[in-house]
Amino acid sequence: MGLSVLFLRVEAITVPRAFIYGSCVGGDTANVFPSEWDRPTYVARQSIISAAFGPTEVVGDIELTSAFQRSMLEGDIEATAFPRLRQELPMHDALILDIVDERLGVYELAPGEYLTRSMELISSKLIGKQPVMPRLIDFGSDEHWGLWSRSVDSLVDVVKDSGIPVFAVLPPWSKKSIQGADLAWHSVSVESMNNKYARYNEYLVQCDFTIVTVPDDEALGDAEHKWGLAPFHYTDSVYESLRDQILAGVSS
């Protein structure tokens, strides 16, 4: 009796995945992606400035109890964003970039050494432990803009050889919530912040990234957002619009 051998060809199943470099805006957009997309890679709380200039030496303990917050702050100190992009981005299908984490500026700890002024850094009490008080460089200032634009040039160099499409997610900050409340940010008007962001957004346009946004009148905040009410915590329809633009770009 002959022996029949059955050969089965098993084809690898490729699951699409996004790499998010940014804030809750990119993360919340990825959260409404179709279920066939894998859980995204997420690098947050790292200004493009601190990422481009490299690791920073700090002293003192990090006073954070949240493992996630500690991880984000340690990533900023070690400037992990660019090395991770170089190594991991080719294994993804899209880079989702947003710049909401730039809003608080950066600290200069020494010439050429910068840390993102994130809520994690503020809560860690690390800044007050440095032997020389770090200097704050405000978002929107000419100094910040100069450092940031140079750093974006470095980011372009990091991602351009990957062949992965880059989507700059740049919805305007919300002036109103869907519930009808006027919005501000720590007593700063949304109009003022949108004006500050304008030249940053335009620079990303010039980098030939695919720009993903919504009209001003559609950019509404939501008091029921899981992170609370803020000008950059939007309604579900905003995230769905951003998602649809990204998916159309990936499939084109």
Side-chain angles (χ1 to χ4, degrees):
M1 183 176 180
L3 179 64
S4 297
V5 179
L6 178 64
F7 292 94
L8 297 178
R9 188 177 69 177
V10 178
E11 295 184 356
I13 299 175
T14 302
V15 178
R17 191 179 191 189
F19 190 117
I20 300 168
Y21 177 23
S23 73
C24 56
V25 175
D28 290 340
T29 300
N31 283 341
V32 296
F33 269 39
S35 59
E36 62 264 24
W37 279 69
D38 201 355
R39 184 176 180 177
T41 301
Y42 191 29
V43 174
R45 313 299 189 268
Q46 287 193 49
S47 166
I48 299 174
I49 296 171
S50 61
F53 277 85
T56 301
E57 290 191 17
V58 298
V59 299
D61 294 331
I62 297 174
E63 297 184 30
L64 292 172
T65 57
S66 164
F68 175 77
Q69 290 181 325
R70 176 179 287 271
S71 173
M72 293 299 99
L73 180 52
E74 290 173 345
D76 190 43
I77 294 169
E78 297 165 9
T80 60
F82 282 19
R84 291 193 64 186
L85 283 166
R86 289 189 186 95
Q87 182 176 358
E88 300 176 37
L89 187 57
M91 296 177 284
H92 293 73
D93 298 271
L95 172 60
I96 300 175
L97 172 71
D98 77 79
I99 56 173
V100 170
D101 282 343
E102 304 288 354
R103 69 190 185 279
L104 293 171
V106 295
Y107 280 110
E108 182 186 51
L109 280 76
E113 294 189 13
Y114 303 94
L115 282 180
T116 309
R117 187 175 179 246
S118 63
M119 296 308 298
E120 287 76 12
L121 179 61
I122 294 169
S123 299
S124 74
K125 302 179 181 178
L126 200 58
I127 288 299
K129 297 177 181 178
Q130 303 315 300
V132 177
M133 184 61 187
R135 182 174 66 93
L136 176 62
I137 302 173
D138 289 321
F139 173 73
S141 66
D142 287 343
E143 183 178 12
H144 187 279
W145 159 251
L147 289 168
W148 183 86
S149 56
R150 285 168 51 199
S151 300
V152 170
D153 293 344
S154 298
L155 174 64
V156 171
D157 289 339
V158 169
V159 304
K160 67 181 180 181
D161 293 331
S162 70
I164 304 302
V166 181
F167 299 90
V169 180
L170 307 174
W173 282 25
S174 305
K175 297 178 181 178
K176 282 186 174 292
S177 72
I178 196 170
Q179 291 84 8
D182 292 325
L183 300 183
W185 181 67
H186 299 296
S187 76
V188 179
S189 73
V190 168
E191 183 176 7
S192 174
M193 290 302 297
N194 281 335
N195 287 339
K196 287 183 179 181
Y197 268 105
R199 62 175 170 174
Y200 293 79
N201 293 348
E202 180 58 33
Y203 200 79
L204 295 177
V205 172
Q206 296 174 17
C207 293
D208 288 333
F209 296 154
T210 300
I211 305 303
V212 178
T213 188
V214 296
D216 284 2
D217 60 352
E218 294 180 16
L220 295 173
D222 191 347
E224 297 182 2
H225 192 285
K226 62 181 177 180
W227 307 124
L229 185 60
F232 40 84
H233 294 162
Y234 303 96
T235 59
D236 289 346
S237 62
V238 171
Y239 299 118
E240 290 163 359
S241 176
L242 300 173
R243 171 203 64 196
D244 291 346
Q245 293 173 63
I246 294 170
L247 294 179
V250 169
S251 62
S252 65

